[in-house]
Amino acid sequence: MELEVRHLRALCAIADAGSVRKAARQLGMTQPSLTTQLRRIENALGGQLFFRERTGSRPTPLGHSVLSRARPIVADMRALVDEIASASLRAGGSRLCIGSTSSRAVAGWLRRLRARLPDTDTAIRIDVSANALLQMVAMGQLDVAFVHEVEGAPLRRPDGLVERELIAREPQFVALSADHPAARHPVVELAELAGDQWMVDPSVDGEWTGLRRVFAAAGLDPRVVHGDYLTAADLVAAGEVVAPCQPTSRPRHGMVVRPLRGDPLAVRLFMAHRPGAAPAVPADALFADLTASYMEVAWESTAYREWLVRHDGPLPIGT
């Protein structure tokens, strides 16, 4: 087997993400596929590149040596691709590249941007990793990114990015079965869910760290399983798990969304861009369209709208 740039890129992704699972998400691969690829790379190089630990993957001494050579190659190849792409865009028209972690506001953001810029090719990159998106903005692969930062789990911020805060503290709600006893209440006590099995997606930056912090502060130690939130929705409706969710989440058949008493779990929402960059639309306009889109989905959500009214913000009533 001959090593290619894609193999080196995979090694860098595993090292940066800290686990094969997170790296696979960032690379758009399945975890088994990336695990198989890593095994073939290690066989080709004749040694183990990562220690597999319960908390993730850590480079071995050989891994550190390979990574020190791989990173400049990957960076040079990325720079070459970006230069070619930039030249093509100058010749063929303008393009806007935006990124976001999962949010219902994204659809409205895209709709507004395309109406504002009908002659611009607007592309979207959705990623579970806010850290990865911020890095892509810093490297010029994205013009802007809309991300969330879990309270108590700071993101890794590349130097030089400008942040525009959308919401300083957005409460995270909980999704539970419509048949759950706590579903009868408009606001749920965390202690009411202590006996339930929780599902959390550890590949979402800060998610598991933030939830652990909340459990520890409440003196709780519930059962926790790891999985993606798409699967969690089916399990929640079936009454198998409860799961944290965004306040703008749409309830589905058999599932309800409720705020937690005291809002112990929260995130900060912000848009990041590079200073001095010249995307197809100014950052002020990008942020205005994002704000309007977020307000739209916030007021569509019954549970969140009621929370906003009770707490007098952070969005203007009636928007």
Side-chain angles (χ1 to χ4, degrees):
M1 169 185 169
E2 291 188 2
L3 287 184
E4 303 174 12
V5 174
R6 64 187 178 93
H7 299 135
L8 303 182
R9 188 179 296 115
L11 296 179
C12 293
I14 295 170
D16 292 341
S19 76
V20 174
R21 177 186 174 85
K22 287 185 179 181
R25 285 283 190 89
Q26 293 175 18
L27 294 168
M29 303 171 62
T30 65
Q31 183 176 344
S33 295
L34 184 55
T35 299
T36 299
Q37 187 176 97
L38 175 58
R39 189 178 301 116
R40 288 173 178 167
I41 295 171
E42 289 179 328
N43 289 338
L45 293 175
Q48 184 177 349
L49 300 179
F50 292 92
F51 294 116
R52 278 72 156 180
E53 301 173 338
R54 184 177 59 83
T55 56
S57 300
R58 181 169 53 88
T60 64
L62 175 61
H64 279 297
S65 178
V66 172
L67 286 166
S68 69
R69 302 291 186 90
R71 290 190 189 281
I73 295 172
V74 171
D76 286 345
M77 181 57 68
R78 186 181 292 119
L80 174 61
V81 172
D82 289 344
E83 287 175 13
I84 294 173
S86 296
S88 298
L89 290 176
R90 287 193 296 271
S94 60
R95 190 171 191 229
L96 176 67
C97 298
I98 65 176
S100 178
T101 48
S102 178
S103 172
R104 285 189 55 224
V106 170
W109 194 21
L110 276 174
R111 184 179 71 249
R112 287 173 169 84
L113 289 174
R114 285 180 173 144
R116 182 189 291 273
L117 302 165
D119 298 324
T120 297
D121 178 14
T122 302
I124 179 73
R125 164 71 180 258
I126 303 295
D127 202 304
V128 296
S129 173
N131 285 316
L133 291 170
L134 294 178
Q135 188 64 37
M136 292 178 72
V137 174
M139 298 181 70
Q141 295 171 305
L142 294 173
D143 293 305
V144 298
F146 172 44
V147 300
H148 70 272
E149 180 175 48
V150 179
E151 195 169 70
L155 295 172
R156 297 190 301 274
R157 287 169 165 75
D159 293 335
L161 294 189
V162 176
E163 296 181 9
R164 294 177 183 239
E165 187 174 90
L166 178 64
I167 300 291
R169 193 174 192 273
E170 179 196 71
Q172 298 301 279
F173 289 2
V174 64
L176 60 158
S177 167
D179 296 327
H180 195 290
R184 298 193 299 265
H185 310 311
V187 179
V188 175
E189 302 282 350
L190 188 61
E192 293 182 85
L193 308 176
D196 289 282
Q197 181 167 251
W198 286 71
M199 176 170 275
V200 64
D201 188 342
S203 65
V204 179
D205 292 330
E207 202 88 340
W208 179 214
T209 300
L211 193 58
R212 272 199 316 246
R213 180 186 63 81
V214 168
F215 289 153
L220 303 178
D221 187 23
R223 293 167 295 159
V224 176
V225 294
H226 291 169
D228 64 271
Y229 287 134
L230 192 60
T231 303
D234 291 326
L235 294 176
V236 167
E240 294 295 328
V241 300
V242 298
C245 67
Q246 297 175 13
T248 54
S249 298
R250 278 199 186 104
R252 53 184 291 180
H253 180 70
M255 182 184 88
V256 298
V257 173
R258 296 286 186 267
L260 291 166
R261 179 77 64 190
D263 306 313
L265 187 63
V267 302
R268 175 177 176 260
L269 303 179
F270 65 92
M271 188 188 85
H273 63 94
R274 298 185 313 285
V281 61
D284 287 345
L286 286 168
F287 188 67
D289 285 345
L290 172 60
T291 301
S293 301
Y294 180 84
M295 291 163 70
E296 182 178 65
V297 297
W299 286 102
E300 283 177 356
S301 167
T302 301
Y304 196 20
R305 183 171 64 248
E306 292 173 352
W307 184 94
L308 290 166
V309 171
R310 287 197 307 271
H311 292 78
D312 193 25
L315 301 175
I317 295 174
T319 301

